Amino acid sequence: MSKAENPFRYFHSSPDIIRMVVMLYVRYPLSLRNVEDLLFERGYDLCHETVRLWWNRFGPMFAADIRRQRVSRMKGFRQWRWHLDEMYVKLNGEMVYLWRAVDHEGEVLESFVTKKRDKSAALTFMKKALKRHGKVDTIVTDGLKSYPAAMKELGNQDRREMGRWLNNRVENSHLPFRRRERAMQRFRRMKSLRKFASVHASISNHFNQERHLIDRQTFKARRSAALAEWQKLAA
């Protein structure tokens, strides 16, 4: 990478330190000052505002790089089941909705924030997911009437499934975001919520190794590979 293209060129800190700061803040339920204290224990003296600056500056860049690589790798695979759901998020006392699409393995494919959960919002969200990831065989949703109305317009209503426990996959995927939301003491701006939801989803996907489904040696190998890929981002 040339000097003009280097995203770290205006920063005196090591790119490895910047990557570690972004990973700690986004991946784990830590506050800005928690990250500052953890780094100080390891010999790095940073202000919590530096942590804020770095995650805002580099978080979306790292997430876009991860998303681009994963979408490119998944193009040759069949998309056979998606789970769609919306969760409420408080924004300065106002209720907004975070829409999420999750595949059959629990990987977050798409996230989208709206003030309403009507047909128009569902249609925009589904068009965005389908444009990026292609067609899917089955779409599992809850009983919200906005889904069938949007799918009818898209012409894929016959692919919809609905059941009492069928959507547990996406319901469980909300939990890491909820833990992170509490650590951040909620969100104050729509722009910040959209940015963090997108960055958090990409980084969580990158480090999600499904350790409950594999043996210890396989998990360690995958974890090392994920960390090695992370250290090469924007390098």
Side-chain angles (χ1 to χ4, degrees):
M1 180 178 289
S2 66
K3 186 175 180 180
E5 297 173 338
N6 183 7
F8 306 104
R9 61 187 179 276
Y10 297 123
F11 297 85
H12 297 296
S13 298
S14 166
D16 292 334
I17 301 302
I18 295 175
R19 291 190 192 95
M20 182 172 66
V21 167
V22 174
M23 181 184 68
L24 287 174
Y25 182 68
V26 177
R27 186 182 176 193
Y28 302 105
L30 301 171
S31 67
L32 297 169
R33 289 173 174 80
N34 290 152
V35 176
E36 177 187 354
D37 292 341
L38 286 172
L39 290 170
F40 183 76
E41 291 174 4
R42 288 158 175 77
Y44 302 105
D45 187 10
L46 297 175
C47 174
H48 69 278
E49 289 297 337
T50 302
V51 178
R52 188 197 307 275
L53 171 66
W54 284 356
W55 102 255
N56 275 289
R57 176 76 175 263
F58 295 101
M61 182 193 308
F62 295 158
D65 200 0
I66 292 170
R67 192 182 306 114
R68 183 168 52 251
Q69 293 178 25
R70 297 180 81 84
V71 169
S72 177
R73 285 198 294 260
M74 292 299 293
K75 279 185 177 179
F77 293 90
R78 180 182 176 188
Q79 299 284 336
W80 66 277
R81 173 170 288 190
W82 288 359
H83 300 260
L84 308 185
D85 192 33
E86 72 291 339
M87 58 185 288
Y88 70 87
V89 182
K90 276 193 175 181
L91 201 67
N92 284 332
E94 181 184 358
M95 198 78 73
V96 297
Y97 298 94
L98 173 61
W99 303 73
R100 290 156 66 90
V102 174
D103 69 6
H104 61 280
E105 293 181 340
E107 182 167 314
V108 181
L109 301 174
E110 201 66 53
S111 58
F112 186 62
V113 182
T114 62
K115 291 186 176 181
K116 298 181 179 180
R117 54 174 185 171
D118 54 8
K119 173 189 171 182
S120 176
L123 185 61
T124 304
F125 167 61
M126 295 180 73
K127 282 182 176 179
K128 183 180 178 183
L130 290 168
K131 181 179 180 181
R132 175 172 290 173
H133 301 281
K135 295 182 179 180
V136 60
D137 293 346
T138 305
I139 299 178
V140 182
T141 72
D142 56 18
L144 184 68
K145 294 182 179 179
S146 300
Y147 290 118
M151 294 177 72
K152 183 177 181 181
E153 187 163 327
L154 291 171
N156 58 0
Q157 191 175 6
D158 58 320
R159 300 181 181 181
R160 182 184 182 221
E161 287 187 4
M162 187 178 66
R164 186 173 181 182
W165 294 291
L166 286 180
N167 227 19
N168 282 357
R169 176 72 70 180
V170 66
E171 294 285 354
N172 291 334
S173 76
H174 296 328
L175 299 179
F177 184 85
R178 284 296 190 201
R179 287 194 291 267
R180 198 64 197 81
E181 179 190 18
R182 287 194 294 269
M184 296 178 69
Q185 298 181 355
R186 302 190 184 279
F187 298 91
R188 294 172 179 82
R189 293 188 302 166
M190 182 78 80
K191 182 179 179 181
S192 299
L193 172 57
R194 285 173 174 160
K195 178 191 289 186
F196 190 83
S198 176
V199 173
H200 182 267
S202 293
I203 294 179
S204 296
N205 289 341
H206 183 74
F207 288 103
N208 180 21
Q209 308 302 325
E210 296 186 326
R211 62 189 305 167
H212 62 291
L213 298 176
I214 56 179
D215 60 80
R216 177 68 179 172
Q217 293 302 319
T218 304
F219 165 69
K220 289 170 63 177
R222 290 183 180 179
R223 181 174 59 183
S224 298
L227 190 58
E229 288 183 18
W230 173 261
Q231 291 169 347
K232 293 178 181 178
L233 292 177

